[in-house]
Amino acid sequence: MSDTRFTHIGGPTMLIEVGGWRILTDPTFDPPGRRYFFGWGTTSRKLVGPSISAADLGPIDAVLVSHHHHGDNLDPSAQALLPTWGTTFTTRKAAIKLGGASVGLAPWETTTLEAPGKETITITATPCRHGPVGSDPITGPVVGFSLAWDGQEHGELWVTGDTVLYPALREVASRLRIGTMVLHLGSVRFRYLSGWLRYSMDAREGAELVELVKPHQVVPVHYEGWSHFQQGRDAAEPIFDTSTSADRVTWLDPGEAVTLPV
């Protein structure tokens, strides 16, 4: 159970298929054009729709929602479908809000995804800070997820979630053996409100995190499709290409899939 199929649906949304499990990350299925309000005067417009519609997605066993309160990580279309998609793993606050089959996790808490005839997956919530120092009360709680199962060749599969590079995130390198990173980028900024302060990693920080964690492979996501992203693939890819991690990075266009040894 080492080969894993990754399908990039768009934005942060990735379908991960491994050992009979079909796991969806930060689902976003609204059509383009809608404006989302993130609080404290921040907004973003969706520019591109999903490459695969929710109706064509097929059955989903579990959903990883890094945070529920931003429409570019969980939009109304996806939220309405959560009850049909099995267990939702998310923050403690989101689990209370979403209800149903939601499991809330604080950073470094663990739980399991298990079913008869399938390999048990251990899920560890990892820390995130979705902005500069002191922004937590505004941006709200966010977590990433590390998935571990027997037979992983290179180490755990880590979905970083929306975060900047900060000390608690660096602990991942010392606490977990990561083989594959699904790396959230985008360099989110709201210049009219908070100037050059960033609310997610840019490519420079992403490359630095890769060097700290030293995964076998990296799949970037969440750098396109909404107006609040300030660094798309065209700007980010050359930075990774000149880093020592260049040969570890696999870019997927929306709708593209790849099978990787995990």
mmCIF file with all atom_site columns, all heavy atoms in Angstrom, residues 183-200:
data_model
loop_
_atom_site.group_PDB
_atom_site.id
_atom_site.type_symbol
_atom_site.label_atom_id
_atom_site.label_alt_id
_atom_site.label_comp_id
_atom_site.label_asym_id
_atom_site.label_entity_id
_atom_site.label_seq_id
_atom_site.pdbx_PDB_ins_code
_atom_site.Cartn_x
_atom_site.Cartn_y
_atom_site.Cartn_z
_atom_site.occupancy
_atom_site.B_iso_or_equiv
_atom_site.pdbx_formal_charge
_atom_site.auth_seq_id
_atom_site.auth_comp_id
_atom_site.auth_asym_id
_atom_site.auth_atom_id
_atom_site.pdbx_PDB_model_num
ATOM 1   N N   . LEU A 1 183 ? 1.791  20.822 -0.368 1.00 0.00 ? 183 LEU A N   1
ATOM 2   C CA  . LEU A 1 183 ? 2.282  22.089 0.158  1.00 0.00 ? 183 LEU A CA  1
ATOM 3   C C   . LEU A 1 183 ? 1.392  23.250 -0.271 1.00 0.00 ? 183 LEU A C   1
ATOM 4   O O   . LEU A 1 183 ? 1.318  23.586 -1.459 1.00 0.00 ? 183 LEU A O   1
ATOM 5   C CB  . LEU A 1 183 ? 3.710  22.304 -0.337 1.00 0.00 ? 183 LEU A CB  1
ATOM 6   C CG  . LEU A 1 183 ? 4.424  23.602 0.035  1.00 0.00 ? 183 LEU A CG  1
ATOM 7   C CD1 . LEU A 1 183 ? 4.611  23.697 1.547  1.00 0.00 ? 183 LEU A CD1 1
ATOM 8   C CD2 . LEU A 1 183 ? 5.764  23.680 -0.694 1.00 0.00 ? 183 LEU A CD2 1
ATOM 9   N N   . HIS A 1 184 ? 0.725  23.888 0.691  1.00 0.00 ? 184 HIS A N   1
ATOM 10  C CA  . HIS A 1 184 ? -0.110 25.057 0.416  1.00 0.00 ? 184 HIS A CA  1
ATOM 11  C C   . HIS A 1 184 ? 0.770  26.296 0.269  1.00 0.00 ? 184 HIS A C   1
ATOM 12  O O   . HIS A 1 184 ? 1.551  26.620 1.162  1.00 0.00 ? 184 HIS A O   1
ATOM 13  C CB  . HIS A 1 184 ? -1.106 25.282 1.560  1.00 0.00 ? 184 HIS A CB  1
ATOM 14  C CG  . HIS A 1 184 ? -2.223 24.296 1.601  1.00 0.00 ? 184 HIS A CG  1
ATOM 15  N ND1 . HIS A 1 184 ? -3.519 24.656 1.884  1.00 0.00 ? 184 HIS A ND1 1
ATOM 16  C CD2 . HIS A 1 184 ? -2.249 22.957 1.381  1.00 0.00 ? 184 HIS A CD2 1
ATOM 17  C CE1 . HIS A 1 184 ? -4.297 23.584 1.854  1.00 0.00 ? 184 HIS A CE1 1
ATOM 18  N NE2 . HIS A 1 184 ? -3.539 22.540 1.549  1.00 0.00 ? 184 HIS A NE2 1
ATOM 19  N N   . LEU A 1 185 ? 0.594  26.998 -0.848 1.00 0.00 ? 185 LEU A N   1
ATOM 20  C CA  . LEU A 1 185 ? 1.401  28.181 -1.133 1.00 0.00 ? 185 LEU A CA  1
ATOM 21  C C   . LEU A 1 185 ? 0.483  29.397 -1.368 1.00 0.00 ? 185 LEU A C   1
ATOM 22  O O   . LEU A 1 185 ? -0.471 29.585 -0.672 1.00 0.00 ? 185 LEU A O   1
ATOM 23  C CB  . LEU A 1 185 ? 2.301  27.919 -2.354 1.00 0.00 ? 185 LEU A CB  1
ATOM 24  C CG  . LEU A 1 185 ? 3.387  26.847 -2.175 1.00 0.00 ? 185 LEU A CG  1
ATOM 25  C CD1 . LEU A 1 185 ? 4.064  26.550 -3.502 1.00 0.00 ? 185 LEU A CD1 1
ATOM 26  C CD2 . LEU A 1 185 ? 4.409  27.293 -1.138 1.00 0.00 ? 185 LEU A CD2 1
ATOM 27  N N   . GLY A 1 186 ? 0.818  30.253 -2.325 1.00 0.00 ? 186 GLY A N   1
ATOM 28  C CA  . GLY A 1 186 ? -0.062 31.340 -2.738 1.00 0.00 ? 186 GLY A CA  1
ATOM 29  C C   . GLY A 1 186 ? 0.314  32.734 -2.300 1.00 0.00 ? 186 GLY A C   1
ATOM 30  O O   . GLY A 1 186 ? -0.131 33.714 -2.878 1.00 0.00 ? 186 GLY A O   1
ATOM 31  N N   . SER A 1 187 ? 1.081  32.864 -1.201 1.00 0.00 ? 187 SER A N   1
ATOM 32  C CA  . SER A 1 187 ? 1.492  34.181 -0.711 1.00 0.00 ? 187 SER A CA  1
ATOM 33  C C   . SER A 1 187 ? 0.300  35.130 -0.582 1.00 0.00 ? 187 SER A C   1
ATOM 34  O O   . SER A 1 187 ? 0.277  36.220 -1.158 1.00 0.00 ? 187 SER A O   1
ATOM 35  C CB  . SER A 1 187 ? 2.552  34.797 -1.646 1.00 0.00 ? 187 SER A CB  1
ATOM 36  O OG  . SER A 1 187 ? 3.098  35.972 -1.099 1.00 0.00 ? 187 SER A OG  1
ATOM 37  N N   . VAL A 1 188 ? -0.687 34.702 0.196  1.00 0.00 ? 188 VAL A N   1
ATOM 38  C CA  . VAL A 1 188 ? -1.904 35.504 0.348  1.00 0.00 ? 188 VAL A CA  1
ATOM 39  C C   . VAL A 1 188 ? -1.591 36.829 1.027  1.00 0.00 ? 188 VAL A C   1
ATOM 40  O O   . VAL A 1 188 ? -0.941 36.874 2.073  1.00 0.00 ? 188 VAL A O   1
ATOM 41  C CB  . VAL A 1 188 ? -2.962 34.728 1.171  1.00 0.00 ? 188 VAL A CB  1
ATOM 42  C CG1 . VAL A 1 188 ? -4.104 35.646 1.593  1.00 0.00 ? 188 VAL A CG1 1
ATOM 43  C CG2 . VAL A 1 188 ? -3.492 33.557 0.357  1.00 0.00 ? 188 VAL A CG2 1
ATOM 44  N N   . ARG A 1 189 ? -2.062 37.926 0.428  1.00 0.00 ? 189 ARG A N   1
ATOM 45  C CA  . ARG A 1 189 ? -1.946 39.255 1.023  1.00 0.00 ? 189 ARG A CA  1
ATOM 46  C C   . ARG A 1 189 ? -3.212 40.046 0.707  1.00 0.00 ? 189 ARG A C   1
ATOM 47  O O   . ARG A 1 189 ? -3.872 39.797 -0.302 1.00 0.00 ? 189 ARG A O   1
ATOM 48  C CB  . ARG A 1 189 ? -0.727 40.016 0.468  1.00 0.00 ? 189 ARG A CB  1
ATOM 49  C CG  . ARG A 1 189 ? 0.596  39.417 0.809  1.00 0.00 ? 189 ARG A CG  1
ATOM 50  C CD  . ARG A 1 189 ? 1.743  40.390 0.568  1.00 0.00 ? 189 ARG A CD  1
ATOM 51  N NE  . ARG A 1 189 ? 1.795  40.895 -0.782 1.00 0.00 ? 189 ARG A NE  1
ATOM 52  C CZ  . ARG A 1 189 ? 2.441  40.309 -1.789 1.00 0.00 ? 189 ARG A CZ  1
ATOM 53  N NH1 . ARG A 1 189 ? 3.074  39.178 -1.574 1.00 0.00 ? 189 ARG A NH1 1
ATOM 54  N NH2 . ARG A 1 189 ? 2.449  40.847 -2.985 1.00 0.00 ? 189 ARG A NH2 1
ATOM 55  N N   . PHE A 1 190 ? -3.527 40.982 1.594  1.00 0.00 ? 190 PHE A N   1
ATOM 56  C CA  . PHE A 1 190 ? -4.629 41.915 1.380  1.00 0.00 ? 190 PHE A CA  1
ATOM 57  C C   . PHE A 1 190 ? -4.032 43.320 1.506  1.00 0.00 ? 190 PHE A C   1
ATOM 58  O O   . PHE A 1 190 ? -4.038 43.928 2.565  1.00 0.00 ? 190 PHE A O   1
ATOM 59  C CB  . PHE A 1 190 ? -5.743 41.695 2.402  1.00 0.00 ? 190 PHE A CB  1
ATOM 60  C CG  . PHE A 1 190 ? -6.315 40.305 2.361  1.00 0.00 ? 190 PHE A CG  1
ATOM 61  C CD1 . PHE A 1 190 ? -5.852 39.316 3.229  1.00 0.00 ? 190 PHE A CD1 1
ATOM 62  C CD2 . PHE A 1 190 ? -7.303 39.974 1.455  1.00 0.00 ? 190 PHE A CD2 1
ATOM 63  C CE1 . PHE A 1 190 ? -6.367 38.028 3.191  1.00 0.00 ? 190 PHE A CE1 1
ATOM 64  C CE2 . PHE A 1 190 ? -7.835 38.684 1.406  1.00 0.00 ? 190 PHE A CE2 1
ATOM 65  C CZ  . PHE A 1 190 ? -7.367 37.721 2.279  1.00 0.00 ? 190 PHE A CZ  1
ATOM 66  N N   . ARG A 1 191 ? -3.485 43.822 0.409  1.00 0.00 ? 191 ARG A N   1
ATOM 67  C CA  . ARG A 1 191 ? -2.678 45.038 0.449  1.00 0.00 ? 191 ARG A CA  1
ATOM 68  C C   . ARG A 1 191 ? -3.472 46.251 0.945  1.00 0.00 ? 191 ARG A C   1
ATOM 69  O O   . ARG A 1 191 ? -2.931 47.111 1.626  1.00 0.00 ? 191 ARG A O   1
ATOM 70  C CB  . ARG A 1 191 ? -2.105 45.313 -0.930 1.00 0.00 ? 191 ARG A CB  1
ATOM 71  C CG  . ARG A 1 191 ? -1.151 44.242 -1.419 1.00 0.00 ? 191 ARG A CG  1
ATOM 72  C CD  . ARG A 1 191 ? -0.570 44.615 -2.764 1.00 0.00 ? 191 ARG A CD  1
ATOM 73  N NE  . ARG A 1 191 ? 0.177  43.505 -3.357 1.00 0.00 ? 191 ARG A NE  1
ATOM 74  C CZ  . ARG A 1 191 ? 0.754  43.555 -4.552 1.00 0.00 ? 191 ARG A CZ  1
ATOM 75  N NH1 . ARG A 1 191 ? 0.668  44.664 -5.258 1.00 0.00 ? 191 ARG A NH1 1
ATOM 76  N NH2 . ARG A 1 191 ? 1.395  42.516 -5.032 1.00 0.00 ? 191 ARG A NH2 1
ATOM 77  N N   . TYR A 1 192 ? -4.749 46.297 0.588  1.00 0.00 ? 192 TYR A N   1
ATOM 78  C CA  . TYR A 1 192 ? -5.556 47.459 0.981  1.00 0.00 ? 192 TYR A CA  1
ATOM 79  C C   . TYR A 1 192 ? -5.846 47.467 2.473  1.00 0.00 ? 192 TYR A C   1
ATOM 80  O O   . TYR A 1 192 ? -6.230 48.496 3.030  1.00 0.00 ? 192 TYR A O   1
ATOM 81  C CB  . TYR A 1 192 ? -6.875 47.473 0.198  1.00 0.00 ? 192 TYR A CB  1
ATOM 82  C CG  . TYR A 1 192 ? -7.693 46.225 0.368  1.00 0.00 ? 192 TYR A CG  1
ATOM 83  C CD1 . TYR A 1 192 ? -8.609 46.098 1.411  1.00 0.00 ? 192 TYR A CD1 1
ATOM 84  C CD2 . TYR A 1 192 ? -7.549 45.161 -0.516 1.00 0.00 ? 192 TYR A CD2 1
ATOM 85  C CE1 . TYR A 1 192 ? -9.344 44.938 1.573  1.00 0.00 ? 192 TYR A CE1 1
ATOM 86  C CE2 . TYR A 1 192 ? -8.292 43.999 -0.359 1.00 0.00 ? 192 TYR A CE2 1
ATOM 87  C CZ  . TYR A 1 192 ? -9.195 43.892 0.685  1.00 0.00 ? 192 TYR A CZ  1
ATOM 88  O OH  . TYR A 1 192 ? -9.922 42.739 0.847  1.00 0.00 ? 192 TYR A OH  1
ATOM 89  N N   . LEU A 1 193 ? -5.675 46.327 3.147  1.00 0.00 ? 193 LEU A N   1
ATOM 90  C CA  . LEU A 1 193 ? -5.995 46.240 4.565  1.00 0.00 ? 193 LEU A CA  1
ATOM 91  C C   . LEU A 1 193 ? -4.756 46.072 5.434  1.00 0.00 ? 193 LEU A C   1
ATOM 92  O O   . LEU A 1 193 ? -4.615 46.735 6.461  1.00 0.00 ? 193 LEU A O   1
ATOM 93  C CB  . LEU A 1 193 ? -6.962 45.082 4.817  1.00 0.00 ? 193 LEU A CB  1
ATOM 94  C CG  . LEU A 1 193 ? -7.481 44.944 6.246  1.00 0.00 ? 193 LEU A CG  1
ATOM 95  C CD1 . LEU A 1 193 ? -8.454 46.084 6.569  1.00 0.00 ? 193 LEU A CD1 1
ATOM 96  C CD2 . LEU A 1 193 ? -8.160 43.608 6.453  1.00 0.00 ? 193 LEU A CD2 1
ATOM 97  N N   . SER A 1 194 ? -3.864 45.189 5.023  1.00 0.00 ? 194 SER A N   1
ATOM 98  C CA  . SER A 1 194 ? -2.715 44.867 5.880  1.00 0.00 ? 194 SER A CA  1
ATOM 99  C C   . SER A 1 194 ? -1.389 44.937 5.140  1.00 0.00 ? 194 SER A C   1
ATOM 100 O O   . SER A 1 194 ? -0.402 44.319 5.555  1.00 0.00 ? 194 SER A O   1
ATOM 101 C CB  . SER A 1 194 ? -2.894 43.473 6.499  1.00 0.00 ? 194 SER A CB  1
ATOM 102 O OG  . SER A 1 194 ? -3.150 42.495 5.510  1.00 0.00 ? 194 SER A OG  1
ATOM 103 N N   . GLY A 1 195 ? -1.356 45.695 4.035  1.00 0.00 ? 195 GLY A N   1
ATOM 104 C CA  . GLY A 1 195 ? -0.101 45.936 3.354  1.00 0.00 ? 195 GLY A CA  1
ATOM 105 C C   . GLY A 1 195 ? 0.569  44.672 2.856  1.00 0.00 ? 195 GLY A C   1
ATOM 106 O O   . GLY A 1 195 ? -0.056 43.854 2.199  1.00 0.00 ? 195 GLY A O   1
ATOM 107 N N   . TRP A 1 196 ? 1.841  44.511 3.213  1.00 0.00 ? 196 TRP A N   1
ATOM 108 C CA  . TRP A 1 196 ? 2.628  43.395 2.710  1.00 0.00 ? 196 TRP A CA  1
ATOM 109 C C   . TRP A 1 196 ? 2.636  42.196 3.650  1.00 0.00 ? 196 TRP A C   1
ATOM 110 O O   . TRP A 1 196 ? 3.381  41.230 3.419  1.00 0.00 ? 196 TRP A O   1
ATOM 111 C CB  . TRP A 1 196 ? 4.053  43.860 2.431  1.00 0.00 ? 196 TRP A CB  1
ATOM 112 C CG  . TRP A 1 196 ? 4.089  44.800 1.264  1.00 0.00 ? 196 TRP A CG  1
ATOM 113 C CD1 . TRP A 1 196 ? 4.064  46.168 1.297  1.00 0.00 ? 196 TRP A CD1 1
ATOM 114 C CD2 . TRP A 1 196 ? 4.098  44.440 -0.116 1.00 0.00 ? 196 TRP A CD2 1
ATOM 115 N NE1 . TRP A 1 196 ? 4.059  46.677 0.034  1.00 0.00 ? 196 TRP A NE1 1
ATOM 116 C CE2 . TRP A 1 196 ? 4.086  45.648 -0.862 1.00 0.00 ? 196 TRP A CE2 1
ATOM 117 C CE3 . TRP A 1 196 ? 4.117  43.231 -0.805 1.00 0.00 ? 196 TRP A CE3 1
ATOM 118 C CZ2 . TRP A 1 196 ? 4.099  45.667 -2.254 1.00 0.00 ? 196 TRP A CZ2 1
ATOM 119 C CZ3 . TRP A 1 196 ? 4.130  43.251 -2.194 1.00 0.00 ? 196 TRP A CZ3 1
ATOM 120 C CH2 . TRP A 1 196 ? 4.116  44.449 -2.905 1.00 0.00 ? 196 TRP A CH2 1
ATOM 121 N N   . LEU A 1 197 ? 1.841  42.214 4.705  1.00 0.00 ? 197 LEU A N   1
ATOM 122 C CA  . LEU A 1 197 ? 1.750  41.056 5.594  1.00 0.00 ? 197 LEU A CA  1
ATOM 123 C C   . LEU A 1 197 ? 1.158  39.874 4.828  1.00 0.00 ? 197 LEU A C   1
ATOM 124 O O   . LEU A 1 197 ? 0.182  40.010 4.100  1.00 0.00 ? 197 LEU A O   1
ATOM 125 C CB  . LEU A 1 197 ? 0.877  41.384 6.803  1.00 0.00 ? 197 LEU A CB  1
ATOM 126 C CG  . LEU A 1 197 ? 1.417  42.448 7.763  1.00 0.00 ? 197 LEU A CG  1
ATOM 127 C CD1 . LEU A 1 197 ? 0.401  42.738 8.863  1.00 0.00 ? 197 LEU A CD1 1
ATOM 128 C CD2 . LEU A 1 197 ? 2.753  42.018 8.370  1.00 0.00 ? 197 LEU A CD2 1
ATOM 129 N N   . ARG A 1 198 ? 1.751  38.717 5.027  1.00 0.00 ? 198 ARG A N   1
ATOM 130 C CA  . ARG A 1 198 ? 1.303  37.521 4.310  1.00 0.00 ? 198 ARG A CA  1
ATOM 131 C C   . ARG A 1 198 ? 0.528  36.592 5.232  1.00 0.00 ? 198 ARG A C   1
ATOM 132 O O   . ARG A 1 198 ? 0.792  36.505 6.428  1.00 0.00 ? 198 ARG A O   1
ATOM 133 C CB  . ARG A 1 198 ? 2.496  36.787 3.708  1.00 0.00 ? 198 ARG A CB  1
ATOM 134 C CG  . ARG A 1 198 ? 2.977  37.398 2.412  1.00 0.00 ? 198 ARG A CG  1
ATOM 135 C CD  . ARG A 1 198 ? 4.053  36.589 1.739  1.00 0.00 ? 198 ARG A CD  1
ATOM 136 N NE  . ARG A 1 198 ? 5.277  36.534 2.540  1.00 0.00 ? 198 ARG A NE  1
ATOM 137 C CZ  . ARG A 1 198 ? 5.617  35.514 3.297  1.00 0.00 ? 198 ARG A CZ  1
ATOM 138 N NH1 . ARG A 1 198 ? 4.849  34.452 3.375  1.00 0.00 ? 198 ARG A NH1 1
ATOM 139 N NH2 . ARG A 1 198 ? 6.742  35.535 3.984  1.00 0.00 ? 198 ARG A NH2 1
ATOM 140 N N   . TYR A 1 199 ? -0.414 35.843 4.619  1.00 0.00 ? 199 TYR A N   1
ATOM 141 C CA  . TYR A 1 199 ? -1.268 34.930 5.359  1.00 0.00 ? 199 TYR A CA  1
ATOM 142 C C   . TYR A 1 199 ? -1.100 33.479 4.902  1.00 0.00 ? 199 TYR A C   1
ATOM 143 O O   . TYR A 1 199 ? -1.790 32.598 5.407  1.00 0.00 ? 199 TYR A O   1
ATOM 144 C CB  . TYR A 1 199 ? -2.734 35.375 5.249  1.00 0.00 ? 199 TYR A CB  1
ATOM 145 C CG  . TYR A 1 199 ? -2.961 36.706 5.924  1.00 0.00 ? 199 TYR A CG  1
ATOM 146 C CD1 . TYR A 1 199 ? -2.686 37.895 5.262  1.00 0.00 ? 199 TYR A CD1 1
ATOM 147 C CD2 . TYR A 1 199 ? -3.376 36.776 7.250  1.00 0.00 ? 199 TYR A CD2 1
ATOM 148 C CE1 . TYR A 1 199 ? -2.854 39.128 5.893  1.00 0.00 ? 199 TYR A CE1 1
ATOM 149 C CE2 . TYR A 1 199 ? -3.543 37.995 7.889  1.00 0.00 ? 199 TYR A CE2 1
ATOM 150 C CZ  . TYR A 1 199 ? -3.282 39.162 7.203  1.00 0.00 ? 199 TYR A CZ  1
ATOM 151 O OH  . TYR A 1 199 ? -3.440 40.374 7.840  1.00 0.00 ? 199 TYR A OH  1
ATOM 152 N N   . SER A 1 200 ? -0.209 33.259 3.970  1.00 0.00 ? 200 SER A N   1
ATOM 153 C CA  . SER A 1 200 ? 0.189  31.898 3.603  1.00 0.00 ? 200 SER A CA  1
ATOM 154 C C   . SER A 1 200 ? 1.602  31.954 3.046  1.00 0.00 ? 200 SER A C   1
ATOM 155 O O   . SER A 1 200 ? 2.132  33.030 2.757  1.00 0.00 ? 200 SER A O   1
ATOM 156 C CB  . SER A 1 200 ? -0.781 31.280 2.584  1.00 0.00 ? 200 SER A CB  1
ATOM 157 O OG  . SER A 1 200 ? -0.716 31.948 1.335  1.00 0.00 ? 200 SER A OG  1
#
